[in-house]
Amino acid sequence: MTTVQKIKEIEDEMATQKNKATSYHLGQLKAKLAKLRRELISPSGGGGGGGPGIGFDVARTGVASVGFVGFPSVGKSTLMSKLTGTHSEVSEIDFTTLTTVPGTLKVHGAPIQILDLPGIIEGANDGRGRGRQVARTCNLIFIVLDVLKPLGDKKIIESELEGFGIRLNKKPPAILVRKKDKGGIAITNTVPLTNIDQEEIKAVLSEYKLSNVDVTIRQPNMTADDLVDVIEGNRVYIPALYVLNKVVYLLVEIICHSRWLCMQIDAISIEELDLLYKIPHSVPVSSREWLNIDELTEKMWEALELVRVYTKPRGQSPDYSAPVVLRRGRCSVEDFCNAIHKEIAKQMKYAVVWGASAKHSRGQKVGLDHVLEDEDVVHIAKN
């Protein structure tokens, strides 16, 4: 029996036994399912299907990378081509993009790498199509959806990415699992266990052969899946934006062509139109008409959490033409120095900072551990 068949068998059992199985048995099944899916994410042998995929090893450039994910023919290639000036084959035929196509987009002076990924199909996380090559190393994912069928496609793509161990718009669970030499299982929770009980926790630990561990739970509404994610340790937590393509184009056509309007009303309900604008983290655009792209790039910048820092040589004006771009959480003066040259931090006597992170408008003397904010200006005084 193949890995995919084993996964299907467990999923079927979980669906049919949901109300009958004990919490302990459900915990075991969820852990088994996660272990099987691990084989598809990083197979040890040749099974699982797919292969590495020609053209998917792309050199990293820029300060961050954004991957375009979506079903075939939703406008990913058109959007990327216009954003970056990089040619990505555009066609009405499904699966035109067969390999990753990289490009670069400059936003606020920072070069962002854009990756047009091969079209996602249902079942990609089971080894079919090119799903296993989805870039788990992207800093942000654009899920491009067709306005005529956004909610169904959104659900399928999210499920596929979940199967790859990609968690969208989530933080790592506040759960600590610490192995020990003896003493059995000790479970401590600082929040109520509303979606899991201790039996299910022990079942998951048993499936992973963890008999001597301390489990500390600070995650509200924790589930067995959260615990599995922590134990597996190979999950990636990536922000995502839902790009609702053709929305504005749809409205233009509705205004201009009443006959076309009659056809589209059959294809998309008023309820769906209303729900479109309630999808969290969504941006409606038209790649064809090039409308609302400014909002898309601004939301991309916010989601990437980048920080621009400008240098100020002694006795000169700040250089606003080439910012040093850092990531929030790693934007101290020391990070700033290392981004320019690692020797600068060793030679620094102090830094003078102007901007949002400084206490005074006239500038503030700071050390290496000072945290910088977007558009700060920094002068480094050396020993």
Side-chain angles (χ1 to χ4, degrees):
M1 186 181 292
T2 66
T3 300
V4 173
Q5 288 172 330
K6 291 176 182 177
I7 288 173
K8 182 68 167 60
E9 189 176 80
I10 292 177
E11 288 177 335
D12 289 344
E13 183 178 352
M14 289 174 66
T16 56
Q17 298 291 321
K18 188 172 183 179
N19 297 321
K20 299 178 182 178
T22 63
S23 60
Y24 189 92
H25 185 50
L26 281 174
Q28 284 184 314
L29 292 176
K30 289 178 180 179
K32 286 179 181 178
L33 189 61
K35 288 161 72 176
L36 289 170
R37 288 209 179 279
R38 186 204 308 157
E39 295 178 21
L40 294 178
I41 295 172
S42 52
S44 56
I54 297 172
F56 225 89
D57 294 327
V58 178
R60 290 292 294 268
T61 61
V63 297
S65 61
V66 178
F68 278 46
V69 176
F71 278 87
S73 304
V74 294
K76 299 196 312 316
S77 300
T78 300
L79 184 58
M80 175 176 170
S81 296
K82 289 188 175 182
L83 277 173
T84 66
T86 302
H87 178 70
S88 185
E89 194 68 34
V90 178
S91 171
E92 297 299 321
I93 303 171
D94 286 354
F95 304 107
T96 305
T97 305
L98 299 178
T99 58
T100 298
V101 179
T104 302
L105 169 67
K106 271 209 167 185
V107 182
H108 299 311
I112 310 294
Q113 185 179 46
I114 307 294
L115 301 173
D116 184 11
L117 306 177
I120 290 290
I121 63 169
E122 190 170 2
N125 68 24
D126 293 332
R128 291 179 286 161
R130 295 177 178 269
R132 210 187 308 142
Q133 298 107 313
V134 171
R136 285 163 50 94
T137 56
C138 285
N139 303 112
L140 173 66
I141 290 178
F142 275 2
I143 297 179
V144 186
L145 302 169
D146 191 320
V147 65
L148 296 181
K149 46 180 180 178
L151 301 180
D153 286 358
K154 175 178 179 288
K155 185 176 180 180
I156 293 170
I157 292 172
E158 286 174 339
S159 176
E160 299 301 329
L161 295 178
E162 281 274 326
F164 281 108
I166 295 174
R167 303 293 178 258
L168 301 176
N169 297 319
K170 294 179 180 177
K171 299 293 184 184
I175 303 168
L176 177 64
V177 178
R178 186 175 62 86
K179 296 180 183 179
K180 56 187 180 182
D181 294 330
K182 57 184 179 180
I185 296 172
I187 301 170
T188 305
N189 55 291
T190 60
V191 293
L193 300 179
T194 54
N195 297 320
I196 193 172
D197 58 31
Q198 295 211 1
E199 284 301 303
E200 195 169 352
I201 293 172
K202 290 176 181 177
V204 172
L205 297 173
S206 173
E207 186 60 34
Y208 283 98
K209 295 179 171 58
L210 296 172
S211 54
N212 294 294
V213 289
D214 289 331
V215 180
T216 305
I217 301 163
R218 300 187 183 92
Q219 177 72 26
N221 302 315
M222 169 196 159
T223 65
D225 293 326
D226 292 328
L227 179 59
V228 166
D229 284 353
V230 171
I231 294 172
E232 284 286 333
N234 63 353
R235 307 316 192 213
V236 290
Y237 298 83
I238 304 176
L241 288 176
Y242 299 92
V243 184
L244 306 175
N245 196 22
K246 309 177 187 176
V247 170
V248 184
Y249 179 63
L250 169 65
L251 297 178
V252 170
E253 291 285 1
I254 286 177
I255 294 168
C256 297
H257 303 290
S258 58
R259 184 178 176 186
W260 190 88
L261 166 62
C262 295
M263 291 189 293
Q264 288 302 341
I265 288 298
D266 291 336
I268 184 169
S269 68
I270 298 300
E271 289 77 9
E272 272 191 301
L273 276 172
D274 186 48
L275 286 171
L276 273 178
Y277 292 94
K278 295 180 181 178
I279 298 174
H281 311 289
S282 65
V283 185
V285 303
S286 171
S287 58
R288 180 172 172 175
E289 302 299 324
W290 204 238
L291 296 172
N292 211 37
I293 304 302
D294 287 345
E295 182 185 352
L296 179 64
T297 54
E298 280 304 313
K299 287 205 171 183
M300 176 179 71
W301 179 266
E302 292 170 12
L304 286 171
E305 296 189 308
L306 300 178
V307 175
R308 294 161 291 174
V309 182
Y310 302 106
T311 58
K312 184 188 181 305
R314 185 172 183 176
Q316 300 180 34
S317 299
D319 181 7
Y320 293 108
S321 63
V324 175
V325 183
L326 307 171
R327 296 192 66 82
R328 195 166 294 282
R330 299 186 63 183
C331 54
S332 67
V333 171
E334 185 173 10
D335 294 320
F336 168 77
C337 292
N338 290 337
I340 301 172
H341 196 286
K342 290 186 177 180
E343 290 299 314
I344 293 178
K346 298 176 183 177
Q347 300 169 3
M348 190 187 93
K349 183 177 181 181
Y350 62 86
V352 182
V353 177
W354 295 265
S357 73
K359 292 180 180 179
H360 318 291
S361 59
R362 63 180 180 275
Q364 178 186 355
K365 275 189 179 182
V366 300
L368 288 171
D369 59 349
H370 179 81
V371 177
L372 300 165
E373 291 291 338
D374 190 33
E375 296 196 276
D376 276 358
V377 174
V378 178
H379 166 70
I380 302 295
K382 296 182 181 179
N383 290 314

PDB file of all heavy atoms in Angstrom, residues 285-315:
ATOM      1  N   VAL A 285      -8.017  42.825  -7.077  1.00  0.00           N
ATOM      2  CA  VAL A 285      -7.228  43.496  -8.125  1.00  0.00           C
ATOM      3  C   VAL A 285      -7.735  43.063  -9.497  1.00  0.00           C
ATOM      4  O   VAL A 285      -8.531  42.132  -9.622  1.00  0.00           O
ATOM      5  CB  VAL A 285      -5.720  43.149  -8.027  1.00  0.00           C
ATOM      6  CG1 VAL A 285      -5.156  43.500  -6.663  1.00  0.00           C
ATOM      7  CG2 VAL A 285      -5.461  41.681  -8.368  1.00  0.00           C
ATOM      8  N   SER A 286      -7.238  43.754 -10.500  1.00  0.00           N
ATOM      9  CA  SER A 286      -7.404  43.309 -11.878  1.00  0.00           C
ATOM     10  C   SER A 286      -6.047  43.402 -12.548  1.00  0.00           C
ATOM     11  O   SER A 286      -5.561  44.499 -12.833  1.00  0.00           O
ATOM     12  CB  SER A 286      -8.413  44.165 -12.637  1.00  0.00           C
ATOM     13  OG  SER A 286      -8.393  43.824 -14.017  1.00  0.00           O
ATOM     14  N   SER A 287      -5.397  42.259 -12.759  1.00  0.00           N
ATOM     15  CA  SER A 287      -4.089  42.266 -13.413  1.00  0.00           C
ATOM     16  C   SER A 287      -4.224  42.695 -14.861  1.00  0.00           C
ATOM     17  O   SER A 287      -3.336  43.331 -15.425  1.00  0.00           O
ATOM     18  CB  SER A 287      -3.431  40.883 -13.325  1.00  0.00           C
ATOM     19  OG  SER A 287      -4.254  39.897 -13.908  1.00  0.00           O
ATOM     20  N   ARG A 288      -5.361  42.392 -15.468  1.00  0.00           N
ATOM     21  CA  ARG A 288      -5.581  42.737 -16.878  1.00  0.00           C
ATOM     22  C   ARG A 288      -5.746  44.241 -17.050  1.00  0.00           C
ATOM     23  O   ARG A 288      -5.169  44.844 -17.951  1.00  0.00           O
ATOM     24  CB  ARG A 288      -6.815  41.998 -17.393  1.00  0.00           C
ATOM     25  CG  ARG A 288      -7.157  42.275 -18.847  1.00  0.00           C
ATOM     26  CD  ARG A 288      -8.254  41.348 -19.307  1.00  0.00           C
ATOM     27  NE  ARG A 288      -8.745  41.696 -20.614  1.00  0.00           N
ATOM     28  CZ  ARG A 288      -9.648  40.994 -21.287  1.00  0.00           C
ATOM     29  NH1 ARG A 288     -10.146  39.905 -20.741  1.00  0.00           N
ATOM     30  NH2 ARG A 288     -10.047  41.365 -22.481  1.00  0.00           N
ATOM     31  N   GLU A 289      -6.523  44.867 -16.171  1.00  0.00           N
ATOM     32  CA  GLU A 289      -6.759  46.311 -16.260  1.00  0.00           C
ATOM     33  C   GLU A 289      -5.774  47.117 -15.409  1.00  0.00           C
ATOM     34  O   GLU A 289      -5.789  48.343 -15.434  1.00  0.00           O
ATOM     35  CB  GLU A 289      -8.195  46.633 -15.804  1.00  0.00           C
ATOM     36  CG  GLU A 289      -9.278  45.923 -16.595  1.00  0.00           C
ATOM     37  CD  GLU A 289      -9.250  46.294 -18.067  1.00  0.00           C
ATOM     38  OE1 GLU A 289      -8.959  47.466 -18.379  1.00  0.00           O
ATOM     39  OE2 GLU A 289      -9.517  45.409 -18.898  1.00  0.00           O
ATOM     40  N   TRP A 290      -4.944  46.421 -14.645  1.00  0.00           N
ATOM     41  CA  TRP A 290      -3.915  47.026 -13.786  1.00  0.00           C
ATOM     42  C   TRP A 290      -4.542  48.010 -12.795  1.00  0.00           C
ATOM     43  O   TRP A 290      -4.142  49.158 -12.650  1.00  0.00           O
ATOM     44  CB  TRP A 290      -2.847  47.731 -14.618  1.00  0.00           C
ATOM     45  CG  TRP A 290      -1.538  47.849 -13.884  1.00  0.00           C
ATOM     46  CD1 TRP A 290      -0.860  48.995 -13.599  1.00  0.00           C
ATOM     47  CD2 TRP A 290      -0.755  46.778 -13.357  1.00  0.00           C
ATOM     48  NE1 TRP A 290       0.295  48.696 -12.908  1.00  0.00           N
ATOM     49  CE2 TRP A 290       0.386  47.337 -12.750  1.00  0.00           C
ATOM     50  CE3 TRP A 290      -0.906  45.384 -13.322  1.00  0.00           C
ATOM     51  CZ2 TRP A 290       1.357  46.574 -12.122  1.00  0.00           C
ATOM     52  CZ3 TRP A 290       0.062  44.627 -12.703  1.00  0.00           C
ATOM     53  CH2 TRP A 290       1.172  45.217 -12.112  1.00  0.00           C
ATOM     54  N   LEU A 291      -5.522  47.504 -12.063  1.00  0.00           N
ATOM     55  CA  LEU A 291      -6.242  48.308 -11.089  1.00  0.00           C
ATOM     56  C   LEU A 291      -6.026  47.763  -9.674  1.00  0.00           C
ATOM     57  O   LEU A 291      -5.993  46.554  -9.460  1.00  0.00           O
ATOM     58  CB  LEU A 291      -7.743  48.316 -11.419  1.00  0.00           C
ATOM     59  CG  LEU A 291      -8.116  48.976 -12.756  1.00  0.00           C
ATOM     60  CD1 LEU A 291      -9.585  48.747 -13.065  1.00  0.00           C
ATOM     61  CD2 LEU A 291      -7.825  50.469 -12.729  1.00  0.00           C
ATOM     62  N   ASN A 292      -5.874  48.685  -8.728  1.00  0.00           N
ATOM     63  CA  ASN A 292      -5.696  48.396  -7.305  1.00  0.00           C
ATOM     64  C   ASN A 292      -4.367  47.706  -6.989  1.00  0.00           C
ATOM     65  O   ASN A 292      -4.219  47.079  -5.942  1.00  0.00           O
ATOM     66  CB  ASN A 292      -6.851  47.549  -6.756  1.00  0.00           C
ATOM     67  CG  ASN A 292      -7.123  47.856  -5.300  1.00  0.00           C
ATOM     68  OD1 ASN A 292      -7.024  48.998  -4.868  1.00  0.00           O
ATOM     69  ND2 ASN A 292      -7.442  46.843  -4.516  1.00  0.00           N
ATOM     70  N   ILE A 293      -3.387  47.845  -7.869  1.00  0.00           N
ATOM     71  CA  ILE A 293      -2.082  47.213  -7.648  1.00  0.00           C
ATOM     72  C   ILE A 293      -1.307  47.932  -6.548  1.00  0.00           C
ATOM     73  O   ILE A 293      -0.536  47.317  -5.816  1.00  0.00           O
ATOM     74  CB  ILE A 293      -1.269  47.171  -8.957  1.00  0.00           C
ATOM     75  CG1 ILE A 293      -2.072  46.443 -10.043  1.00  0.00           C
ATOM     76  CG2 ILE A 293       0.070  46.485  -8.736  1.00  0.00           C
ATOM     77  CD1 ILE A 293      -2.469  45.023  -9.682  1.00  0.00           C
ATOM     78  N   ASP A 294      -1.527  49.254  -6.418  1.00  0.00           N
ATOM     79  CA  ASP A 294      -0.831  50.000  -5.360  1.00  0.00           C
ATOM     80  C   ASP A 294      -1.190  49.456  -3.974  1.00  0.00           C
ATOM     81  O   ASP A 294      -0.327  49.316  -3.104  1.00  0.00           O
ATOM     82  CB  ASP A 294      -1.193  51.494  -5.439  1.00  0.00           C
ATOM     83  CG  ASP A 294      -0.530  52.179  -6.614  1.00  0.00           C
ATOM     84  OD1 ASP A 294       0.401  51.583  -7.178  1.00  0.00           O
ATOM     85  OD2 ASP A 294      -0.943  53.299  -6.965  1.00  0.00           O
ATOM     86  N   GLU A 295      -2.471  49.150  -3.768  1.00  0.00           N
ATOM     87  CA  GLU A 295      -2.882  48.584  -2.478  1.00  0.00           C
ATOM     88  C   GLU A 295      -2.229  47.226  -2.265  1.00  0.00           C
ATOM     89  O   GLU A 295      -1.814  46.888  -1.148  1.00  0.00           O
ATOM     90  CB  GLU A 295      -4.399  48.446  -2.404  1.00  0.00           C
ATOM     91  CG  GLU A 295      -4.870  47.903  -1.054  1.00  0.00           C
ATOM     92  CD  GLU A 295      -6.370  47.647  -0.983  1.00  0.00           C
ATOM     93  OE1 GLU A 295      -7.090  48.023  -1.926  1.00  0.00           O
ATOM     94  OE2 GLU A 295      -6.812  47.057   0.014  1.00  0.00           O
ATOM     95  N   LEU A 296      -2.125  46.445  -3.331  1.00  0.00           N
ATOM     96  CA  LEU A 296      -1.507  45.119  -3.227  1.00  0.00           C
ATOM     97  C   LEU A 296      -0.046  45.233  -2.793  1.00  0.00           C
ATOM     98  O   LEU A 296       0.398  44.514  -1.890  1.00  0.00           O
ATOM     99  CB  LEU A 296      -1.607  44.392  -4.568  1.00  0.00           C
ATOM    100  CG  LEU A 296      -0.974  43.003  -4.624  1.00  0.00           C
ATOM    101  CD1 LEU A 296      -1.692  42.047  -3.696  1.00  0.00           C
ATOM    102  CD2 LEU A 296      -0.973  42.467  -6.053  1.00  0.00           C
ATOM    103  N   THR A 297       0.721  46.137  -3.412  1.00  0.00           N
ATOM    104  CA  THR A 297       2.138  46.265  -3.057  1.00  0.00           C
ATOM    105  C   THR A 297       2.305  46.821  -1.644  1.00  0.00           C
ATOM    106  O   THR A 297       3.235  46.441  -0.920  1.00  0.00           O
ATOM    107  CB  THR A 297       2.883  47.157  -4.066  1.00  0.00           C
ATOM    108  OG1 THR A 297       2.207  48.413  -4.193  1.00  0.00           O
ATOM    109  CG2 THR A 297       2.961  46.479  -5.430  1.00  0.00           C
ATOM    110  N   GLU A 298       1.399  47.711  -1.223  1.00  0.00           N
ATOM    111  CA  GLU A 298       1.484  48.242   0.145  1.00  0.00           C
ATOM    112  C   GLU A 298       1.198  47.147   1.175  1.00  0.00           C
ATOM    113  O   GLU A 298       1.882  47.052   2.199  1.00  0.00           O
ATOM    114  CB  GLU A 298       0.497  49.400   0.325  1.00  0.00           C
ATOM    115  CG  GLU A 298       0.989  50.724  -0.228  1.00  0.00           C
ATOM    116  CD  GLU A 298       2.329  51.153   0.355  1.00  0.00           C
ATOM    117  OE1 GLU A 298       2.493  51.090   1.592  1.00  0.00           O
ATOM    118  OE2 GLU A 298       3.227  51.532  -0.427  1.00  0.00           O
ATOM    119  N   LYS A 299       0.183  46.333   0.913  1.00  0.00           N
ATOM    120  CA  LYS A 299      -0.128  45.241   1.847  1.00  0.00           C
ATOM    121  C   LYS A 299       0.990  44.201   1.846  1.00  0.00           C
ATOM    122  O   LYS A 299       1.268  43.567   2.860  1.00  0.00           O
ATOM    123  CB  LYS A 299      -1.467  44.606   1.484  1.00  0.00           C
ATOM    124  CG  LYS A 299      -2.662  45.478   1.839  1.00  0.00           C
ATOM    125  CD  LYS A 299      -3.926  44.655   2.041  1.00  0.00           C
ATOM    126  CE  LYS A 299      -5.046  45.518   2.596  1.00  0.00           C
ATOM    127  NZ  LYS A 299      -6.274  44.736   2.872  1.00  0.00           N
ATOM    128  N   MET A 300       1.630  44.006   0.692  1.00  0.00           N
ATOM    129  CA  MET A 300       2.771  43.101   0.625  1.00  0.00           C
ATOM    130  C   MET A 300       3.896  43.614   1.517  1.00  0.00           C
ATOM    131  O   MET A 300       4.493  42.853   2.283  1.00  0.00           O
ATOM    132  CB  MET A 300       3.267  42.980  -0.816  1.00  0.00           C
ATOM    133  CG  MET A 300       4.517  42.144  -0.986  1.00  0.00           C
ATOM    134  SD  MET A 300       5.034  42.004  -2.708  1.00  0.00           S
ATOM    135  CE  MET A 300       5.618  43.664  -2.998  1.00  0.00           C
ATOM    136  N   TRP A 301       4.169  44.911   1.444  1.00  0.00           N
ATOM    137  CA  TRP A 301       5.221  45.503   2.275  1.00  0.00           C
ATOM    138  C   TRP A 301       4.919  45.319   3.767  1.00  0.00           C
ATOM    139  O   TRP A 301       5.789  44.954   4.552  1.00  0.00           O
ATOM    140  CB  TRP A 301       5.362  46.990   1.928  1.00  0.00           C
ATOM    141  CG  TRP A 301       6.390  47.697   2.748  1.00  0.00           C
ATOM    142  CD1 TRP A 301       6.193  48.402   3.896  1.00  0.00           C
ATOM    143  CD2 TRP A 301       7.797  47.741   2.493  1.00  0.00           C
ATOM    144  NE1 TRP A 301       7.379  48.889   4.375  1.00  0.00           N
ATOM    145  CE2 TRP A 301       8.388  48.497   3.540  1.00  0.00           C
ATOM    146  CE3 TRP A 301       8.626  47.220   1.498  1.00  0.00           C
ATOM    147  CZ2 TRP A 301       9.748  48.744   3.601  1.00  0.00           C
ATOM    148  CZ3 TRP A 301       9.988  47.462   1.568  1.00  0.00           C
ATOM    149  CH2 TRP A 301      10.526  48.214   2.603  1.00  0.00           C
ATOM    150  N   GLU A 302       3.670  45.582   4.143  1.00  0.00           N
ATOM    151  CA  GLU A 302       3.278  45.432   5.550  1.00  0.00           C
ATOM    152  C   GLU A 302       3.414  43.986   6.013  1.00  0.00           C
ATOM    153  O   GLU A 302       3.891  43.711   7.120  1.00  0.00           O
ATOM    154  CB  GLU A 302       1.832  45.898   5.735  1.00  0.00           C
ATOM    155  CG  GLU A 302       1.630  47.405   5.555  1.00  0.00           C
ATOM    156  CD  GLU A 302       0.164  47.781   5.502  1.00  0.00           C
ATOM    157  OE1 GLU A 302      -0.685  46.914   5.838  1.00  0.00           O
ATOM    158  OE2 GLU A 302      -0.152  48.926   5.138  1.00  0.00           O
ATOM    159  N   ALA A 303       2.977  43.040   5.161  1.00  0.00           N
ATOM    160  CA  ALA A 303       3.024  41.625   5.540  1.00  0.00           C
ATOM    161  C   ALA A 303       4.458  41.118   5.672  1.00  0.00           C
ATOM    162  O   ALA A 303       4.748  40.247   6.506  1.00  0.00           O
ATOM    163  CB  ALA A 303       2.264  40.784   4.518  1.00  0.00           C
ATOM    164  N   LEU A 304       5.376  41.645   4.864  1.00  0.00           N
ATOM    165  CA  LEU A 304       6.772  41.206   4.918  1.00  0.00           C
ATOM    166  C   LEU A 304       7.489  41.758   6.150  1.00  0.00           C
ATOM    167  O   LEU A 304       8.556  41.249   6.522  1.00  0.00           O
ATOM    168  CB  LEU A 304       7.508  41.646   3.646  1.00  0.00           C
ATOM    169  CG  LEU A 304       7.165  40.864   2.377  1.00  0.00           C
ATOM    170  CD1 LEU A 304       7.777  41.536   1.157  1.00  0.00           C
ATOM    171  CD2 LEU A 304       7.613  39.415   2.475  1.00  0.00           C
ATOM    172  N   GLU A 305       6.927  42.802   6.771  1.00  0.00           N
ATOM    173  CA  GLU A 305       7.509  43.404   7.975  1.00  0.00           C
ATOM    174  C   GLU A 305       8.974  43.773   7.770  1.00  0.00           C
ATOM    175  O   GLU A 305       9.858  43.383   8.538  1.00  0.00           O
ATOM    176  CB  GLU A 305       7.362  42.466   9.181  1.00  0.00           C
ATOM    177  CG  GLU A 305       5.913  42.210   9.565  1.00  0.00           C
ATOM    178  CD  GLU A 305       5.789  41.457  10.870  1.00  0.00           C
ATOM    179  OE1 GLU A 305       6.434  40.405  11.014  1.00  0.00           O
ATOM    180  OE2 GLU A 305       5.048  41.929  11.755  1.00  0.00           O
ATOM    181  N   LEU A 306       9.216  44.559   6.730  1.00  0.00           N
ATOM    182  CA  LEU A 306      10.560  45.025   6.431  1.00  0.00           C
ATOM    183  C   LEU A 306      10.790  46.409   7.033  1.00  0.00           C
ATOM    184  O   LEU A 306       9.858  47.194   7.196  1.00  0.00           O
ATOM    185  CB  LEU A 306      10.782  45.059   4.916  1.00  0.00           C
ATOM    186  CG  LEU A 306      10.644  43.717   4.197  1.00  0.00           C
ATOM    187  CD1 LEU A 306      10.828  43.898   2.700  1.00  0.00           C
ATOM    188  CD2 LEU A 306      11.645  42.703   4.733  1.00  0.00           C
ATOM    189  N   VAL A 307      12.020  46.680   7.359  1.00  0.00           N
ATOM    190  CA  VAL A 307      12.399  47.946   7.982  1.00  0.00           C
ATOM    191  C   VAL A 307      13.521  48.581   7.158  1.00  0.00           C
ATOM    192  O   VAL A 307      14.576  47.971   6.961  1.00  0.00           O
ATOM    193  CB  VAL A 307      12.878  47.719   9.442  1.00  0.00           C
ATOM    194  CG1 VAL A 307      13.387  49.018  10.052  1.00  0.00           C
ATOM    195  CG2 VAL A 307      11.758  47.129  10.286  1.00  0.00           C
ATOM    196  N   ARG A 308      13.276  49.793   6.656  1.00  0.00           N
ATOM    197  CA  ARG A 308      14.301  50.522   5.907  1.00  0.00           C
ATOM    198  C   ARG A 308      15.107  51.407   6.857  1.00  0.00           C
ATOM    199  O   ARG A 308      14.536  52.152   7.650  1.00  0.00           O
ATOM    200  CB  ARG A 308      13.661  51.410   4.838  1.00  0.00           C
ATOM    201  CG  ARG A 308      12.963  50.662   3.726  1.00  0.00           C
ATOM    202  CD  ARG A 308      11.991  51.570   3.014  1.00  0.00           C
ATOM    203  NE  ARG A 308      10.848  51.898   3.884  1.00  0.00           N
ATOM    204  CZ  ARG A 308       9.892  52.758   3.568  1.00  0.00           C
ATOM    205  NH1 ARG A 308       9.929  53.385   2.415  1.00  0.00           N
ATOM    206  NH2 ARG A 308       8.902  52.990   4.410  1.00  0.00           N
ATOM    207  N   VAL A 309      16.427  51.334   6.734  1.00  0.00           N
ATOM    208  CA  VAL A 309      17.308  52.171   7.556  1.00  0.00           C
ATOM    209  C   VAL A 309      18.277  52.879   6.612  1.00  0.00           C
ATOM    210  O   VAL A 309      18.904  52.243   5.760  1.00  0.00           O
ATOM    211  CB  VAL A 309      18.079  51.342   8.595  1.00  0.00           C
ATOM    212  CG1 VAL A 309      18.943  52.253   9.461  1.00  0.00           C
ATOM    213  CG2 VAL A 309      17.121  50.523   9.457  1.00  0.00           C
ATOM    214  N   TYR A 310      18.398  54.194   6.780  1.00  0.00           N
ATOM    215  CA  TYR A 310      19.251  54.989   5.899  1.00  0.00           C
ATOM    216  C   TYR A 310      20.557  55.334   6.607  1.00  0.00           C
ATOM    217  O   TYR A 310      20.583  55.612   7.814  1.00  0.00           O
ATOM    218  CB  TYR A 310      18.531  56.277   5.484  1.00  0.00           C
ATOM    219  CG  TYR A 310      17.214  56.016   4.796  1.00  0.00           C
ATOM    220  CD1 TYR A 310      16.012  56.239   5.465  1.00  0.00           C
ATOM    221  CD2 TYR A 310      17.165  55.538   3.494  1.00  0.00           C
ATOM    222  CE1 TYR A 310      14.793  55.990   4.841  1.00  0.00           C
ATOM    223  CE2 TYR A 310      15.949  55.283   2.867  1.00  0.00           C
ATOM    224  CZ  TYR A 310      14.769  55.508   3.548  1.00  0.00           C
ATOM    225  OH  TYR A 310      13.568  55.257   2.933  1.00  0.00           O
ATOM    226  N   THR A 311      21.637  55.320   5.851  1.00  0.00           N
ATOM    227  CA  THR A 311      22.958  55.635   6.400  1.00  0.00           C
ATOM    228  C   THR A 311      23.219  57.136   6.320  1.00  0.00           C
ATOM    229  O   THR A 311      22.750  57.812   5.405  1.00  0.00           O
ATOM    230  CB  THR A 311      24.058  54.887   5.629  1.00  0.00           C
ATOM    231  OG1 THR A 311      23.979  55.249   4.239  1.00  0.00           O
ATOM    232  CG2 THR A 311      23.885  53.381   5.756  1.00  0.00           C
ATOM    233  N   LYS A 312      23.971  57.639   7.297  1.00  0.00           N
ATOM    234  CA  LYS A 312      24.370  59.043   7.298  1.00  0.00           C
ATOM    235  C   LYS A 312      25.871  59.135   7.560  1.00  0.00           C
ATOM    236  O   LYS A 312      26.325  59.031   8.708  1.00  0.00           O
ATOM    237  CB  LYS A 312      23.610  59.843   8.355  1.00  0.00           C
ATOM    238  CG  LYS A 312      23.944  61.338   8.321  1.00  0.00           C
ATOM    239  CD  LYS A 312      23.325  62.072   9.487  1.00  0.00           C
ATOM    240  CE  LYS A 312      23.643  63.568   9.420  1.00  0.00           C
ATOM    241  NZ  LYS A 312      25.113  63.834   9.340  1.00  0.00           N
ATOM    242  N   PRO A 313      26.675  59.341   6.495  1.00  0.00           N
ATOM    243  CA  PRO A 313      28.111  59.541   6.702  1.00  0.00           C
ATOM    244  C   PRO A 313      28.372  60.833   7.486  1.00  0.00           C
ATOM    245  O   PRO A 313      27.562  61.766   7.447  1.00  0.00           O
ATOM    246  CB  PRO A 313      28.664  59.641   5.269  1.00  0.00           C
ATOM    247  CG  PRO A 313      27.605  59.020   4.409  1.00  0.00           C
ATOM    248  CD  PRO A 313      26.309  59.322   5.088  1.00  0.00           C
ATOM    249  N   ARG A 314      29.468  60.887   8.172  1.00  0.00           N
ATOM    250  CA  ARG A 314      29.796  62.055   8.999  1.00  0.00           C
ATOM    251  C   ARG A 314      29.918  63.317   8.141  1.00  0.00           C
ATOM    252  O   ARG A 314      30.594  63.321   7.117  1.00  0.00           O
ATOM    253  CB  ARG A 314      31.111  61.811   9.742  1.00  0.00           C
ATOM    254  CG  ARG A 314      31.459  62.918  10.722  1.00  0.00           C
ATOM    255  CD  ARG A 314      32.652  62.543  11.566  1.00  0.00           C
ATOM    256  NE  ARG A 314      32.952  63.555  12.561  1.00  0.00           N
ATOM    257  CZ  ARG A 314      33.890  63.448  13.476  1.00  0.00           C
ATOM    258  NH1 ARG A 314      34.643  62.347  13.519  1.00  0.00           N
ATOM    259  NH2 ARG A 314      34.099  64.412  14.346  1.00  0.00           N
ATOM    260  N   GLY A 315      29.197  64.348   8.579  1.00  0.00           N
ATOM    261  CA  GLY A 315      29.275  65.639   7.888  1.00  0.00           C
ATOM    262  C   GLY A 315      28.490  65.694   6.590  1.00  0.00           C
ATOM    263  O   GLY A 315      28.585  66.678   5.856  1.00  0.00           O
TER     264      GLY A 315
END
